[in-house]
Amino acid sequence: LFLNNTEFVYQAILLSFIGHPEIFPLVFTTKTQEIFNCRVDEDVTEGNCFKLIKKEDIIQDLKARATISDFHPIKKVVLEYPGEELLVVFDAQFQYGQNFYLVASEEAKENLLKPPETAEEKEEEKEEENREETLEVHPYKPPVHKPWVSLGSEKEVEEESVKDTVTKIKYMISRVRGKFGAPITLTDKNASHVKDSYVECMSYQDKTFSIKKLEKDVGIQMVPKVREASTQTKWPYPKNAATQYFPRQLSNEEKEESLSSEKLKEFLTSVHLRMEIALQQNEIMNAFIDDWKALAEDESSSGGKPDVYLKAYQSFTDPRYLKDRTISCVCWHPTIYGIIAVSARERLSYEEQVNLSDKSLLQQSVILFWSFFDPIHPQLILECPEDIYCFQFSPSDPNIIVGGCINGQVILWDISQHEEKLQNVKTVADEIKITADMPSLMQVQQSSTQPPLVRYCAVSSIQYSHKKPVTDIHWLPDYFEDNQMAATFENRAEICVQLVTCSPDCSVLFWDIPATKFPSSENVREKENFYMPLDVPDTSKHLDLCWKPLIKVLYTNVEQKD
């Protein structure tokens, strides 16, 4: 408290030097506000901030509370004040640094309670007095009547005024005087008493109300809007220009320095071998020969028979599946040496290809696996619902094969159960060759048995497949994947699980095969109760007949040619 009072005295002294010696800021505690009835927001507010306190009450508070009193810092000022009441002002904006301040002079007190008139008010009073004087100086003079002078305006008013040109129709309705004021009686009428229970009030034309239409000639002139516009183009001044190029010639010193430099020696050493090989190739063979003409048969040889440069190495025949059919696609097995897969389709004309729905399959469509070590018997047969136009092995897992049908469907096979048989083809063929003179009964049975027929694992939905034959199919790389929003992201599993197909129906479809989400065979058998052959793996059984493309891209501007 002592420190606070000291601060107040310091502030009061400081304010006296500023220019307000009659104002002393004070801090009124809650107790002081209750004693002198100057509680904030109750007794005093920002609008009513003045409070008069008797000098005797302040002296009694100083005697009773001594140094605890909030008036103790200005005790001398209070005792020397000449008046009986002191003005205390509530400082809501803290203009002087505290919540209250004391006015220590009668003159400042009167100025705050009764502020003097401002200069603007005095000027307004002077203006009012001057106005009264001017009114007294200039007496009122009544206006003098002047004769009317016509300038032709009454004719324009008469022409623009509306006048009645049609005679008004007058009606007079009379009634017997005895019926004036008589009550009106209304009765109900039964509609059944009238013929067909229908009362019609027919309308009729009253000639009295016929309105004559007046014809009015109106002419409209349409004038196009004309606008002038100009454009300023910068026109450079034409001039003839010529440039003469001269070859850059090195001096003898520069030539010797360049030929003896280490960079030239390193360059000649690095390209010496490649240059020597290129020169040898130019001497050995003609680099400008046409390879297509070289492949043609030459009939100028002796005997009239052409020399065949390309000779057949191996042929594969199967009278059951390949008779009268066209080879549509041939693929080598990615990992097993000497294994080749072949698909065949029927020989259809253009009209038959267009009307595929009218064409019934008279012969079963398959994909045959042949081995160069046993060209007589196919090693594996993949069953197909329709003719296959193209098929591809999966780069990540060669046991997964995807094919495109002539009706636009996409088919999936899994030959993992027959991988060992394809790998052992060479060893079986070698054993048969060794014992070719006296083959055993088991070897004869193995050679005469039919190759296994593998059924497809999954077929795409006809509704969401291509509408025309699938002409090409490719697996996407294993380092990225696409989602349904056509956004590309990284494939951390590094397994090819997506492929793309195209068709003449102007569409490109992206298919997703989630390898990590394949259900196990036990769970599938528990959930579904339809029959699955024993030799068919159920890897992608959940995709059968419900396989839909992930993304569909349409090309509408493709020009189709007959």
Side-chain angles (χ1 to χ4, degrees):
L1 291 174
F2 177 74
L3 292 174
N4 290 336
N5 293 332
T6 305
E7 291 178 359
F8 298 154
V9 174
Y10 177 76
Q11 290 180 358
I13 295 171
L14 182 61
L15 288 172
S16 63
F17 283 97
I18 293 175
H20 298 278
E22 68 278 0
I23 293 176
F24 295 90
L26 297 174
V27 176
F28 279 8
T29 60
T30 307
K31 183 66 175 176
T32 303
Q33 294 177 13
E34 292 177 355
I35 293 173
F36 295 99
N37 295 326
C38 56
R39 290 169 291 183
V40 177
D41 295 335
E42 292 183 8
D43 299 325
V44 291
T45 59
E46 188 175 358
N48 184 18
C49 58
F50 302 109
K51 181 66 178 178
L52 293 174
I53 302 176
K54 293 183 179 181
K55 180 179 179 180
E56 295 180 358
D57 296 340
I58 298 175
I59 294 173
Q60 291 295 331
D61 184 70
L62 290 170
K63 291 179 180 179
R65 301 171 66 188
T67 57
I68 302 175
S69 176
D70 293 337
F71 292 96
H72 183 267
I74 56 172
K75 178 179 179 181
K76 184 177 180 181
V77 176
V78 173
L79 295 177
E80 294 178 355
Y81 187 76
E84 295 181 357
E85 291 182 344
L86 284 82
L87 179 62
V88 177
V89 183
F90 171 57
D91 192 0
Q93 302 296 332
F94 289 88
Q95 184 178 0
Y96 294 99
Q98 304 299 339
N99 57 351
F100 286 88
Y101 62 85
L102 179 69
V103 181
S105 66
E106 287 291 332
E107 184 180 359
K109 173 183 172 183
E110 294 297 331
N111 291 336
L112 290 175
L113 295 177
K114 297 179 180 180
E117 294 182 355
T118 60
E120 295 179 356
E121 294 177 353
K122 292 180 180 180
E123 290 179 359
E124 290 179 358
E125 291 179 357
K126 289 180 181 180
E127 289 179 359
E128 292 179 358
E129 292 176 358
N130 294 333
R131 289 174 185 174
E132 293 177 357
E133 292 176 357
T134 54
L135 292 175
E136 293 177 358
V137 172
H138 301 285
Y140 172 74
K141 293 180 181 181
V144 180
H145 295 282
K146 296 181 180 180
W148 168 259
V149 179
S150 177
L151 299 178
S153 60
E154 67 276 3
K155 295 181 180 180
E156 296 179 359
V157 173
E158 186 178 358
E159 291 176 357
E160 296 295 334
S161 62
V162 180
K163 297 180 180 180
D164 295 334
T165 57
V166 181
T167 58
K168 295 182 179 180
I169 302 173
K170 298 180 180 180
Y171 289 94
M172 185 180 67
I173 301 173
S174 61
R175 191 178 186 186
V176 181
R177 187 176 181 81
K179 294 184 179 181
F180 286 176
I184 300 174
T185 57
L186 301 175
T187 59
D188 297 334
K189 186 176 181 180
N190 194 350
S192 61
H193 296 165
V194 187
K195 185 179 179 180
D196 298 333
S197 300
Y198 177 73
V199 178
E200 184 179 5
C201 297
M202 297 294 293
S203 61
Y204 63 95
Q205 184 177 5
D206 191 355
K207 296 182 180 180
T208 308
F209 295 95
S210 62
I211 301 174
K212 296 181 180 180
K213 296 182 179 180
L214 300 178
E215 295 182 0
K216 185 178 180 181
D217 295 335
V218 179
I220 300 175
Q221 181 68 28
M222 299 298 295
V223 180
K225 294 182 179 180
V226 181
R227 186 178 66 177
E228 295 182 358
S230 61
T231 303
Q232 182 65 28
T233 305
K234 293 183 179 180
W235 182 71
Y237 178 74
K239 59 181 179 179
N240 298 327
T243 304
Q244 181 67 31
Y245 290 92
F246 293 96
R248 181 185 176 185
Q249 296 180 355
L250 301 177
S251 61
N252 295 330
E253 297 178 356
E254 292 177 347
K255 290 179 181 179
E256 293 179 0
E257 183 180 358
S258 178
L259 292 175
S260 60
S261 63
E262 294 294 333
K263 291 184 179 181
L264 181 61
K265 293 180 180 179
E266 293 177 359
F267 170 74
L268 295 175
T269 304
S270 61
V271 301
H272 171 72
L273 181 60
R274 286 181 289 176
M275 192 66 182
E276 184 179 356
I277 295 174
L279 293 175
Q280 290 177 359
Q281 290 179 350
N282 291 336
E283 292 294 332
I284 295 173
M285 60 180 294
N286 186 9
F288 302 100
I289 191 172
D290 191 352
D291 295 333
W292 292 106
K293 291 182 179 180
L295 289 174
E297 298 178 353
D298 188 7
E299 297 180 357
S300 61
S301 59
S302 59
K305 295 182 180 180
D307 295 335
V308 179
Y309 295 96
L310 298 178
K311 297 182 180 180
Y313 175 75
Q314 186 64 269
S315 62
F316 304 95
T317 57
D318 189 277
R320 180 179 178 183
Y321 296 108
L322 300 181
K323 184 178 181 181
D324 298 332
R325 296 174 71 86
T326 302
I327 301 299
S328 59
C329 185
V330 178
C331 289
W332 292 89
H333 197 284
T335 57
I336 302 178
Y337 178 75
I339 299 296
I340 186 173
V342 179
S343 63
R345 62 179 178 88
E346 292 188 8
R347 298 175 182 176
L348 302 178
S349 62
Y350 178 76
E351 295 180 356
E352 291 175 344
Q353 292 181 9
V354 173
N355 302 322
L356 290 176
S357 59
D358 300 335
K359 184 70 178 178
S360 60
L361 289 178
L362 301 178
Q363 191 173 0
Q364 185 180 5
S365 298
V366 295
I367 296 178
L368 300 177
F369 280 72
W370 297 88
S371 175
F372 278 82
F373 305 104
D374 187 6
I376 300 175
H377 305 94
Q379 305 301 319
L380 193 64
I381 301 176
L382 303 184
E383 182 183 359
C384 310
E386 296 287 344
D387 285 347
I388 299 297
Y389 254 66
C390 56
F391 64 93
Q392 288 289 339
F393 289 87
S394 173
S396 301
D397 186 2
N399 295 323
I400 303 298
I401 306 171
V402 176
C405 295
I406 194 173
N407 63 347
Q409 287 182 288
V410 180
I411 309 177
L412 186 70
W413 292 275
D414 185 2
I415 60 172
S416 57
Q417 297 182 0
H418 306 278
E419 182 181 7
E420 185 177 358
K421 174 180 173 55
L422 296 177
Q423 293 177 350
N424 297 333
V425 173
K426 183 178 179 181
T427 57
V428 173
D430 294 340
E431 292 177 359
I432 293 176
K433 288 181 179 179
I434 294 173
T435 59
D437 296 334
M438 298 179 64
S440 62
L441 180 62
M442 184 178 297
Q443 293 175 353
V444 173
Q445 290 179 354
Q446 289 179 357
S447 61
S448 61
T449 55
Q450 293 293 333
L453 181 64
V454 180
R455 191 176 182 273
Y456 48 86
C457 299
V459 184
S460 63
S461 175
I462 300 178
Q463 180 180 0
Y464 300 99
S465 300
H466 290 285
K467 306 305 179 184
K468 291 187 178 182
V470 180
T471 56
D472 200 1
I473 185 170
H474 283 281
W475 289 87
L476 295 180
D478 57 356
Y479 52 80
F480 73 90
E481 292 185 35
D482 294 332
N483 55 14
Q484 294 181 352
M485 303 302 294
T488 304
F489 58 94
E490 183 182 2
N491 182 7
R492 298 184 178 179
E494 295 183 355
I495 299 175
C496 294
V497 294
Q498 290 183 346
L499 53 99
V500 58
T501 59
C502 63
S503 174
D505 61 353
C506 302
S507 65
V508 177
L509 303 182
F510 290 80
W511 305 84
D512 186 13
I513 305 176
T516 57
K517 299 180 181 179
F518 286 167
S520 62
S521 59
E522 297 180 359
N523 296 335
V524 172
R525 291 194 186 97
E526 291 177 359
K527 293 182 180 179
E528 300 182 7
N529 297 322
F530 61 86
Y531 172 73
M532 175 69 73
L534 296 177
D535 59 342
V536 178
D538 52 2
T539 307
S540 302
K541 185 178 178 181
H542 64 292
L543 299 176
D544 194 12
L545 297 177
C546 62
W547 192 9
K548 300 179 182 179
L550 183 68
I551 304 172
K552 185 175 183 180
V553 182
L554 298 177
Y555 294 93
T556 57
N557 296 329
V558 178
E559 296 182 359
Q560 297 183 358
K561 298 182 180 179
D562 296 338

